[in-house]
Amino acid sequence: MRALFRVALMPWAVISGACASAPPIFSAAPATMRGTFGSAPVMRGYVAYRPAALAAPQSRAMVVMLHGCGQNADDFARGTRMNQAADAHGFVVLYPEQPAVANPQKCWNWFLSEQASRDRGEAAQLASLIDSVARAEAVDPQRIALVGMSAGAAMAANLAVAYPERTAALAMHSGIAALGAVDVAGAMRAMSKGDGDGDALGAMALAAMGARARAIPVLVMHGADDQVVSRNNVRVVVRQWTVVNARFGGIAPVEERIFPGVGHAWSGGSPNGSFTAPIAPDATQLIISFLQRTRVLSP
């Protein structure tokens, strides 16, 4: 299998005020919006999906989907079936898109601190995009979840640390801990070995969060047979967020799921998308259930 996670060489307690379930508002039809974000010379595209049925304004949730290397927004939407989940549960979906001009393999540059830290590079541009779409779609800023696959999962984790006040929950599929690498060599080691120190990375995450630190619910998923990103990373990621959330009394859950027989692919995904394992447990439905349990989505 072509590697999805290539490196190119060149709040639960805090969201306790989340709005209760509100009657859905029905529009004539679902809508797909497309646009660009960033600044010259690197402009990135995005796709946003609004289902026909949504909660009342300011009660709306949004799921931000960060794709893996070699993918784009439409491919990721097809493979995960997250738009169909949005139809069923009434939330907005945002798919930022990384172009080849930013990374030859279309990977998010999660392993470069100048791209993945607060107010810097891709992280700052993604945060600005999320804020903009949330305002336009009347999304409750305390009901925004970050979801990622592979390189997208690593960038989602970095975003959660860089902007914890904007992150209601984090779901990572086949990813690496936040701050798990700062250069190409470190990224390759994390991918192949997954031998990071979860306690040290938890302390680093808390330090990076600073005064904005908060407990964040985290769901960690990984294929048992992943030959691209070592499943050892699950242990590191779980420990990192356990350390972070312990600072706040352990009030936000950190859950893990290992999928037997699944490689470096989205478990239970559609064969119409790339890097999917169609016959495995459905990662998208696991994410929806997790977001419901943590009150990001209404039951």
Side-chain angles (χ1 to χ4, degrees):
M1 174 181 287
R2 178 169 53 94
L4 177 59
F5 206 131
R6 292 177 180 165
V7 176
L9 296 178
M10 325 178 302
W12 198 12
V14 183
I15 63 168
S16 59
C19 300
S21 177
I25 292 178
F26 292 90
S27 59
T32 299
M33 293 75 69
R34 298 176 184 272
T36 58
F37 71 106
S39 57
V42 181
M43 296 297 294
R44 297 170 173 84
Y46 72 87
V47 177
Y49 179 76
R50 181 200 307 130
L54 275 175
Q58 298 307 319
S59 296
R60 295 174 182 171
M62 182 165 74
V63 174
V64 180
M65 299 285 289
L66 295 179
H67 64 74
C69 300
Q71 296 181 308
N72 59 32
D74 293 322
D75 178 25
F76 200 37
R78 288 192 303 269
T80 61
R81 298 190 184 94
M82 192 58 76
N83 289 354
Q84 289 89 326
D87 288 333
H89 299 281
F91 57 88
V92 176
V93 194
L94 172 62
Y95 301 90
E97 198 169 66
Q98 179 76 312
V101 67
N103 182 293
Q105 304 299 331
K106 300 182 181 179
C107 310
W108 298 102
N109 290 303
W110 59 275
F111 51 91
L112 300 176
S113 57
E114 65 269 24
Q115 296 293 342
S117 304
R118 188 179 181 93
D119 298 331
R120 300 180 71 186
E122 292 172 14
Q125 292 176 346
L126 284 165
S128 179
L129 171 67
I130 291 166
D131 286 350
S132 177
V133 174
R135 287 193 300 270
E137 296 300 319
V139 168
D140 181 345
Q142 295 299 308
R143 301 182 73 184
I144 298 174
L146 302 178
V147 177
M149 169 69 187
S150 196
M155 181 59 91
N158 284 333
L159 273 178
V161 168
Y163 299 95
E165 77 280 11
R166 307 180 191 184
T167 306
L170 170 66
M172 301 171 62
H173 198 314
S174 311
I176 287 173
L179 313 178
V182 295
D183 55 27
V184 171
M188 297 301 292
R189 180 179 180 87
M191 290 166 56
S192 63
K193 296 185 179 298
D195 58 356
D197 184 335
D199 287 275
L201 287 167
M204 289 171 61
L206 283 166
M209 289 178 173
R212 303 176 182 86
R214 67 190 288 182
I216 297 177
V218 178
L219 174 62
V220 186
M221 301 171 289
H222 214 101
D225 297 340
D226 195 330
Q227 300 300 307
V228 178
V229 178
S230 170
R231 64 177 284 184
N232 291 337
N233 283 286
V234 173
R235 172 189 53 80
V236 179
V237 174
V238 168
R239 183 58 189 166
Q240 177 182 51
W241 287 101
T242 299
V243 168
V244 170
N245 291 346
R247 177 70 62 87
F248 305 93
I251 50 179
V254 180
E255 301 180 7
E256 66 177 273
R257 288 292 301 265
I258 302 294
F259 305 123
V262 176
H264 196 65
W266 187 274
S267 184
S270 167
N272 294 322
S274 64
F275 302 103
T276 61
I279 63 173
D282 191 333
T284 296
Q285 290 307 310
L286 290 173
I287 291 168
I288 297 303
S289 296
F290 181 76
L291 296 181
Q292 290 174 331
R293 293 196 302 277
T294 53
R295 299 176 59 189
V296 180
L297 298 181
S298 298

